[in-house]
């Protein structure tokens, strides 16, 4: 039965009983060979059509890839495909999962925008080649679901945080909860510039999270505060212009983040995290930064 959490009391209880999940050790990235801004499907892309500097994008992408490698992660590279300028955002096309027996699974996304729908089969092929069990959502019943753009695992716990409102539907989480037997905490997104959960919610470790509060409802903020004892709040400029909350903390210690997020970095340091600044300037033109340029795997 689907286990959907919308109340603080149930969440606190669920957190206490939740099973553990290993931290991911591998990363999937898609080369930015065909990355560009060709259409507008989020407010950040407005005015940026045709402005991407391809060689700069390649360089920025390689720095991020090497960052993950240097932190000890195995990075899988897939070739970006022509005609899919957003394919480089590999957080979006699927949601991977490892079950208690160590078997690997993935739910394939139903992209919200027509322009991105055909990216998904490339990821499906990748999963099949790598021994994953692939699961599908019924597109007759579920309008959209954009993978780890909106569905984010609690660090090392068998609990999923599910954002909905712009790119993913609530209904998708009922199916996912059922399929994987995992509780899903629902968070409604209410700010159009923060259209994916990963633009305003970055899990750091079991007890800590970085958020942009105006992206959430009062109830959502209450859920977040009842689950995490440390909630770092990004200021507007850093969240909106530098995508501070689209940072990635893959190991509970090191945070890879767009350069210039000074307030957030100060807070990260105070709470014992190390920050690694990278330049994702070309990708910000498309409404994405570190978190959505990779997919964490086991
Ligand atoms: N241009 C892409 C889109 O609008 C950017 C996706 C960024 N991904 C993310 N998870 N925030 O779909």
């Amino acid at each position: 039965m689907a286990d959907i959490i919308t109340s603080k009391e149930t969440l606190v209880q669920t957190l206490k009983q939740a099973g553990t999940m290993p931290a991911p050790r591998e990363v999937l990235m898609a080369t930015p060979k065909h990355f560009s801004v060709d259409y507008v499907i989020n407010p950040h892309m407005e005015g940026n059509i045709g402005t991407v500097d391809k060689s700069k994008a390649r360089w920025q992408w390689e720095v991020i890839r090497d960052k993950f490698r240097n932190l000890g992660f195995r990075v899988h590279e897939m070739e970006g495909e022509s005609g899919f300028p957003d394919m480089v955002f590999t957080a979006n096309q699927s949601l991977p999962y490892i079950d208690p027996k160590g078997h690997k699974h993935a739910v394939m996304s139903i992209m919200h925008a027509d322009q991105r729908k055909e990216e998904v089969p490339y990821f499906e092929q990748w999963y099949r080649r790598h021994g994953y069990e692939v699961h599908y959502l019924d597109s007759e019943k579920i309008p959209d679901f954009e993978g780890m753009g909106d569905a984010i695992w609690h660090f090392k716990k068998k609990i999923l945080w599910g954002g909905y409102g712009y790119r993913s539907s609530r209904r998708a989480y009922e199916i996912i909860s059922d399929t994987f037997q995992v509780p899903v905490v629902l968070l409604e997104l209410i700010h159009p510039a923060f259209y994916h959960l990963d633009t305003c919610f970055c899990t750091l470790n079991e007890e800590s999270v970085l958020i942009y509060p105006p992206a959430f409802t009062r109830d959502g903020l209450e859920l977040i505060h009842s689950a995490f004892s440390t909630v770092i709040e990004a200021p507007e400029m850093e969240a909106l212009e530098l995508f501070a909350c689209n940072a990635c903390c893959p190991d509970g210690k090191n945070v890879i983040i767009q350069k210039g997020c000074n307030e957030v970095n100060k807070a990260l340091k105070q709470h014992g995290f190390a920050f690694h600044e990278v330049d994702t300037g070309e990708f910000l033109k498309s409404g994405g930064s570190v978190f959505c340029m990779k997919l964490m795997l086991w």
Side-chain angles (χ1 to χ4, degrees), residues 130-296:
H130 289 81
Y132 276 69
E133 185 175 334
V134 178
H135 304 259
Y136 301 93
L137 297 168
D138 181 350
S139 57
E140 304 263 303
K141 297 197 183 111
I142 291 159
D144 47 20
F145 170 67
E146 293 204 351
M148 290 209 75
D150 276 321
I152 301 179
W153 292 111
H154 194 102
F155 189 67
K156 290 195 181 167
K157 280 200 176 155
K158 207 176 145 183
I159 292 189
L160 188 68
W161 290 83
Y164 69 95
Y166 294 102
R167 300 291 189 88
S168 301
S169 322
R170 271 181 83 129
R171 181 92 177 83
Y173 295 111
E174 288 168 22
I175 310 294
I176 291 166
S177 173
D178 250 351
T179 310
F180 292 159
Q181 298 289 298
V182 292
V184 181
V185 194
L186 286 187
L187 291 175
E188 183 178 7
L189 302 176
I190 56 166
H191 190 315
F194 298 89
Y195 58 94
H196 269 148
L197 183 60
D198 74 6
T199 64
C200 47
F201 178 92
C202 175
T203 56
L204 300 168
N205 62 24
E206 289 98 320
E207 292 93 35
S208 317
V209 70
L210 162 66
I211 63 164
Y212 181 59
F216 298 99
T217 61
R218 271 238 311 266
D219 288 352
L221 289 172
E222 206 177 69
L223 287 170
I224 294 171
H225 280 274
S226 63
F228 297 95
S229 54
T230 297
V231 179
I232 299 176
E233 301 191 350
E236 184 181 3
M237 192 285 280
E238 294 180 17
L240 193 61
E241 286 166 37
L242 303 177
F243 262 48
C245 301
N246 201 251
C248 177
C249 184
D251 56 2
K253 291 189 287 278
N254 293 284
V255 184
I256 311 175
I257 187 165
Q258 163 62 32
K259 70 171 190 210
C261 297
N262 301 339
E263 291 299 314
V264 167
N265 288 342
K266 219 189 289 167
L268 287 172
K269 207 169 150 200
Q270 265 166 16
H271 286 94
F273 295 95
F275 60 87
H276 307 260
E277 293 191 290
V278 292
D279 185 0
T280 61
E282 294 310 300
F283 301 92
L284 288 173
K285 293 176 180 171
S286 187
S289 186
V290 183
F291 189 94
C292 45
M293 291 170 65
K294 58 90 200 84
L295 185 72
M296 301 308 300

Side-chain angles (χ1 to χ4, degrees), residues 1 32 37 61 107 114 125 142 146 158 241 250:
M1 229 199 26
V37 179
W61 183 91
V107 176
D114 286 342
Q125 279 167 28
I142 291 159
E146 293 204 351
K158 207 176 145 183
E241 286 166 37

Side-chain angles (χ1 to χ4, degrees), residues 68-111:
F68 279 104
R69 282 193 182 146
N70 292 339
L71 289 173
F73 290 84
R74 174 174 179 206
V75 181
H76 301 271
E77 290 183 31
M78 68 194 270
E79 215 39 76
E81 296 287 335
S82 145
F84 299 107
D86 275 335
M87 191 170 160
V88 71
F89 298 112
T90 54
N92 303 159
Q93 301 85 351
S94 66
L95 168 69
Y97 168 64
I98 187 162
D99 71 24
K101 291 190 182 129
H103 297 145
K104 299 175 192 180
H105 304 255
V107 176
M108 303 317 295
S109 298
I110 299 172
M111 303 305 285

